C-alpha cells in the first residue's frame, strides 16, 4: 500500500478520468449497511487502493468531486473532474422495457448526435438507471463551481426527455461506484460504453464545452459586460468590474496584496525602528520614560508577531534573541518577566505544532478563529504602544500607521506620480492660466480703452 500512496499521478481503476495532482484532497465513499448509510473520507492518494479493494457485493457510492476537508459539503469543494447526468430509464417511455442495455446506449448516442450534444466520455449502468459523464481535460478549481452547476442543470434539461434526474446537479453529489452492486434489483454497476480517443476516454476542455452547451458563452457574457460598461461611460459614469477594481487597488501606490506573515514581520521591524529612533536602542521601563508602554507590552506584541512566523521549536530562542536587542537586560534575564509573559504564547504555539497536517490546514482556514499566536489589529497595536502621528511620519514606519497617515502618504504618492508625468503644481497652473487669460494680458491697454469699455464692446460683438 505504501508504494501506491507515493505515486505522483493518481488513477481511478473504475473510470478513465483525469484526476487532480493534489494527493491530499479528499473524496468520500458512502456504503449502505443494514439499511443505514455510512460515509468515510479518504485522501486522493488512497483512491486507487481503496477502489481496488472495496466489496463488490453491496451498495457503494462515491462523491463526484474532491474536497479540501474530509467533509462532503459544497463549501469545501476543491476540484471537479467531470459533468454528469443521472437518467432514470424506468421513469420514461423513451426506453421501452424490451430494450437491452446496449440498445439504450445506442439510443443515447443517437440522441446526442441528433441534438448536437457532445458525446459522453462514459455511459455507466447504475443497476436500474444510467449515468452519463463528460470528463474534463484537466480538473476544474472551486472558482468554476458555479458554472459547473449551471452546466449540469443545462445537461439535465437537454436530457429531460430521456428521464434525467433534475436533482442530480450539485457538486457534492454521490453516484454508485463501477464494480459494485445495486441491491434494489441485484444488478451490477458497470461501464457500458466509453468514447475513446487515442486509447483513452475522450476529454473536453471545460470552458469550450460550457460555451457549446450553455445558452450563453463566456465570450458573449464578456461582450455584454463591456457593452454595459461603455454605455455607462458614455453617460460620464466610469463603471469597473470587480476584478478591475481589485487590480487598480493593488496598483495604487506601493501597496501589495495583504499577506499575514509579511505583515507580522513588518510589525516586528517597526518595533525595532521605534526602539532605535525613539529610545536610543532600548525600550525603557514606564516609570523611567513616562510613556504608556514599557518592556512588558513591547515584549508581548513582538513575541505575538513572531509566534505567527517562527516554528514552535525555535520560537523561544528567537523571542529571547529579539528581546535582547531592544529590551533591558534585567527584564530579559529575569524569568518572572519575559519567560513568564511568553509562557501562554509558547503553549499555544506548541498546540499548533502538535496538530496533524489536516488539523493544521483546517486551522489555517479558520481565519480569525484559528488557534495559535495572539492576533491584533493595527490600530490596537498603535494604541497599546502609544505610537503617535509624529512617530509614524518621522520614523517612516511601514505598517504601524493609522488611516490618516495612509491617506497622507497616498496623497504624496499621487502628487509625486503627477509631477513625474509632467503635471504642474496648482500654484504654477493658476499663474500660467492667469497669464494666458485676458485679465493677465490686458488687451484694453493696447487699444487705449478702459477695461469696462473693452468687455462692453466685446459683448456687443464689436471686438
Amino acid at each position: 500500500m505504501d508504494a501506491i500512496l507515493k505515486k505522483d499521478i493518481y488513477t481511478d481503476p473504475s473510470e478513465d478520468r483525469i484526476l487532480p495532482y493534489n494527493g491530499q484532497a479528499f473524496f468520500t465513499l458512502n456504503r449502505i449497511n443494514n439499511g443505514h448509510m455510512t460515509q468515510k473520507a479518504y485522501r486522493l492518494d488512497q483512491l486507487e487502493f481503496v477502489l481496488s479493494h472495496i466489496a463488490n457485493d453491496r451498495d457503494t457510492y462515491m462523491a463526484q468531486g474532491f474536497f479540501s476537508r474530509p467533509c462532503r459539503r459544497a463549501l469545501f469543494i476543491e476540484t471537479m473532474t467531470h459533468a454528469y447526468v443521472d437518467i432514470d430509464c424506468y421513469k420514461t417511455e423513451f426506453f421501452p422495457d424490451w430494450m437491452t442495455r446496449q440498445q439504450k446506449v445506442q439510443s443515447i448516442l443517437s440522441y446526442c448526435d441528433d441534438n448536437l450534444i457532445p458525446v459522453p466520455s462514459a455511459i455507466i449502468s447504475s443497476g436500474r438507471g444510467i449515468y452519463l459523464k463528460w470528463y474534463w481535460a484537466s480538473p476544474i478549481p472551486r472558482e468554476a463551481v458555479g458554472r459547473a452547476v449551471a452546466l449540469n442543470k443545462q445537461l439535465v434539461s437537454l436530457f429531460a426527455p430521456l428521464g434525467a434526474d433534475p436533482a442530480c446537479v450539485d457538486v457534492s453529489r454521490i453516484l454508485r461506484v463501477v464494480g459494485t452492486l445495486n441491491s434494489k434489483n441485484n444488478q451490477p454497476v458497470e461501464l457500458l460504453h466509453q468514447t475513446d480517443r487515442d486509447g483513452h476516454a475522450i476529454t473536453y476542455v471545460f470552458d469550450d464545452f460550457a460555451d457549446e452547451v450553455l445558452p450563453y458563452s463566456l465570450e458573449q457574457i464578456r461582450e455584454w459586460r463591456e457593452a454595459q460598461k461603455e454605455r455607462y461611460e458614455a453617460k460620464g459614469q466610469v463603471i469597473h468590474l470587480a476584478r478591475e477594481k481589485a487590480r487598480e487597488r493593488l496598483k495604487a501606490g506601493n501597496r501589495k496584496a495583504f499577506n499575514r506573515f509579511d505583515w507580522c514581520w513588518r510589525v516586528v521591524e517597526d518595533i525595532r525602528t521605534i526602539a532605535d529612533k525613539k529610545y536610543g536602542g532600548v525600550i525603557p521601563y514606564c516609570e523611567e520614560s513616562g510613556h504608556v508602554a514599557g518592556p512588558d507590552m513591547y515584549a508581548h506584541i513582538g513575541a505575538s508577531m513572531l509566534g505567527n512566523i517562527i516554528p514552535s521549536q525555535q520560537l523561544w530562542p528567537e523571542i529571547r534573541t529579539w528581546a535582547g536587542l531592544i529590551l533591558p537586560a534585567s527584564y530579559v534575564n529575569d524569568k518572572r518577566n519575559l519567560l513568564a509573559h511568553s509562557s501562554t504564547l509558547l503553549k499555544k504555539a506548541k498546540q499548533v505544532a502538535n496538530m496533524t497536517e489536516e488539523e493544521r490546514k483546517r486551522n489555517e482556514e479558520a481565519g480569525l478563529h484559528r488557534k495559535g499566536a495572539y492576533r491584533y489589529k493595527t490600530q490596537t497595536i498603535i494604541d497599546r504602544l502609544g505610537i503617535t502621528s509624529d512617530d509614524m511620519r518621522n520614523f517612516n514606519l511601514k505598517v504601524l500607521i493609522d488611516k490618516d497617515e495612509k491617506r497622507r502618504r497616498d496623497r504624496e504618492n499621487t502628487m509625486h506620480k503627477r509631477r513625474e508625468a509632467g503635471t504642474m503644481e496648482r500654484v504654477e497652473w493658476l499663474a500660467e492660466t492667469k497669464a494666458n487669460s485676458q485679465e493677465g494680458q490686458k488687451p484694453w491697454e493696447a487699444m487705449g480703452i478702459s477695461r469696462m469699455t473693452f468687455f462692453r464692446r466685446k459683448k456687443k460683438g464689436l471686438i
Side-chain angles (χ1 to χ4, degrees):
M1 180 175 176
D2 290 338
I4 293 176
L5 297 182
K6 292 180 180 177
K7 280 192 173 183
D8 293 326
I9 299 177
Y10 309 105
T11 58
D12 184 341
S14 63
E15 298 181 38
D16 189 16
R17 55 175 173 156
I18 296 177
L19 299 175
Y21 286 101
N22 178 18
Q24 302 305 305
F26 291 93
F27 70 95
T28 65
L29 282 185
N30 297 64
R31 301 182 179 92
I32 297 179
N33 292 315
N34 299 322
H36 298 283
M37 180 173 285
T38 61
Q39 175 173 291
K40 186 174 181 179
Y42 301 90
R43 295 185 187 276
L44 172 57
D45 55 16
Q46 299 172 302
L47 184 142
E48 185 174 353
F49 179 86
V50 170
L51 293 187
S52 299
H53 291 77
I54 59 175
N56 59 6
D57 59 350
R58 59 177 177 173
D59 297 283
T60 306
Y61 302 81
M62 181 178 176
Q64 298 305 291
F66 293 92
F67 302 85
S68 59
R69 299 186 184 184
C71 177
R72 188 175 56 86
R73 299 292 184 193
L75 286 173
F76 305 130
I77 192 74
E78 185 172 286
T79 55
M80 295 193 67
T81 59
H82 57 279
Y84 42 86
V85 171
D86 180 10
I87 295 180
D88 296 328
C89 305
Y90 50 90
K91 292 183 179 180
T92 176
E93 296 179 356
F94 188 89
F95 300 102
D97 294 338
W98 52 263
M99 266 192 174
T100 65
R101 290 185 175 181
Q102 287 303 320
Q103 287 174 330
K104 292 178 181 178
V105 168
Q106 293 304 317
S107 296
I108 292 172
L109 294 176
S110 298
Y111 181 85
C112 291
D113 186 54
D114 293 341
N115 292 275
L116 303 178
I117 302 172
V119 62
S121 303
I123 301 178
I124 299 169
S125 169
S126 65
R128 298 178 70 195
I130 290 179
Y131 300 146
L132 308 182
K133 295 187 178 184
W134 293 262
Y135 300 145
W136 305 135
S138 60
I140 60 173
R142 61 176 290 117
E143 290 78 7
V145 163
R147 203 170 189 221
V149 172
L151 181 58
N152 282 345
K153 288 183 177 181
Q154 180 64 12
L155 288 170
V156 165
S157 67
L158 292 175
F159 286 93
L162 280 65
D165 182 0
C168 184
V169 296
D170 54 300
V171 294
S172 58
R173 175 64 47 172
I174 57 174
L175 298 177
R176 292 181 181 272
V177 178
V178 173
T180 60
L181 183 72
N182 187 331
S183 63
K184 294 179 179 179
N185 59 357
N186 290 321
Q187 293 294 317
V189 180
E190 57 183 350
L191 178 66
L192 300 178
H193 172 81
Q194 179 173 289
T195 305
D196 288 333
R197 177 181 291 173
D198 299 329
H200 294 281
I202 188 173
T203 59
Y204 298 93
V205 177
F206 173 73
D207 283 333
D208 294 343
F209 185 91
D211 286 344
E212 183 175 351
V213 173
L214 290 175
Y216 307 113
S217 68
L218 273 180
E219 191 59 35
Q220 288 176 306
I221 295 173
R222 291 192 185 104
E223 289 176 358
W224 293 335
R225 286 178 177 173
E226 288 299 322
Q228 182 188 45
K229 180 179 172 182
E230 291 175 1
R231 288 196 300 271
Y232 278 104
E233 288 178 344
K235 297 179 181 179
Q237 301 175 6
V238 179
I239 303 298
H240 293 286
L241 302 179
R243 288 184 178 178
E244 292 177 335
K245 287 184 177 180
R247 284 196 294 267
E248 289 190 355
R249 284 196 297 269
L250 291 179
K251 290 179 181 178
N254 57 356
R255 296 186 191 176
K256 299 179 180 179
F258 179 78
N259 180 286
R260 175 165 59 92
F261 305 107
D262 179 64
W263 181 83
C264 290
W265 184 252
R266 287 173 179 267
V267 171
V268 173
E269 291 297 289
D270 277 355
I271 290 176
R272 288 195 62 184
T273 299
I274 293 172
D276 289 338
K277 296 186 177 181
K278 189 173 184 177
Y279 299 110
V282 179
I283 305 292
Y285 291 96
C286 293
E287 54 268 23
E288 297 176 5
S289 64
H291 291 106
V292 296
D296 283 344
M297 185 55 65
Y298 276 93
H300 174 70
I301 297 295
S304 298
M305 297 300 107
L306 289 173
N308 285 282
I309 309 167
I310 308 299
S312 62
Q313 63 271 23
Q314 304 172 13
L315 183 55
W316 169 242
E318 291 285 352
I319 291 176
R320 184 179 174 85
T321 300
W322 169 80
L325 296 174
I326 66 169
L327 301 179
S330 58
Y331 181 87
V332 176
N333 296 329
D334 191 336
K335 293 183 178 180
R336 296 170 299 177
N337 292 326
L338 181 63
L339 181 58
H341 293 146
S342 303
S343 60
T344 304
L345 171 65
L346 296 173
K347 183 179 179 181
K348 287 175 173 286
K350 190 174 181 180
Q351 289 175 344
V352 174
N354 292 333
M355 291 180 177
T356 64
E357 187 63 28
E358 178 56 29
E359 289 175 336
R360 191 175 293 111
K361 184 178 180 181
R362 288 202 301 266
N363 186 52
E364 283 297 319
E365 293 173 347
L368 295 176
H369 301 289
R370 65 182 180 272
K371 298 177 182 178
Y374 296 99
R375 296 174 297 278
Y376 293 102
K377 294 181 179 179
T378 302
Q379 190 59 48
T380 301
I381 298 177
I382 291 173
D383 295 338
R384 293 197 176 187
L385 298 184
I387 301 173
T388 65
S389 299
D390 290 337
D391 293 339
M392 300 172 195
R393 180 179 302 188
N394 297 335
F395 305 150
N396 193 29
L397 302 182
K398 303 303 181 183
V399 294
L400 294 181
I401 56 177
D402 57 20
K403 293 181 179 180
D404 291 336
E405 178 64 14
K406 286 181 181 178
R407 284 192 286 266
R408 186 192 69 80
R409 294 185 183 186
D410 281 346
R411 286 195 300 269
E412 287 188 352
N413 187 50
T414 301
M415 291 177 64
H416 178 70
K417 286 186 175 181
R418 293 181 66 187
R419 299 296 174 269
E420 289 183 340
T423 306
M424 293 184 295
E425 292 188 10
R426 181 172 177 77
V427 176
E428 296 176 354
W429 177 79
L430 288 174
E432 182 176 332
T433 301
K434 185 176 181 180
N436 294 330
S437 66
Q438 291 180 339
E439 291 289 348
Q441 295 178 355
K442 299 181 180 180
W444 51 85
E445 293 182 353
M447 299 173 65
I449 58 177
S450 67
R451 177 180 178 279
M452 185 179 296
T453 302
F454 173 83
F455 283 105
R456 187 167 56 247
R457 291 180 181 179
K458 185 177 180 180
K459 185 176 181 180
K460 293 179 179 181
L462 300 176
I463 296 179

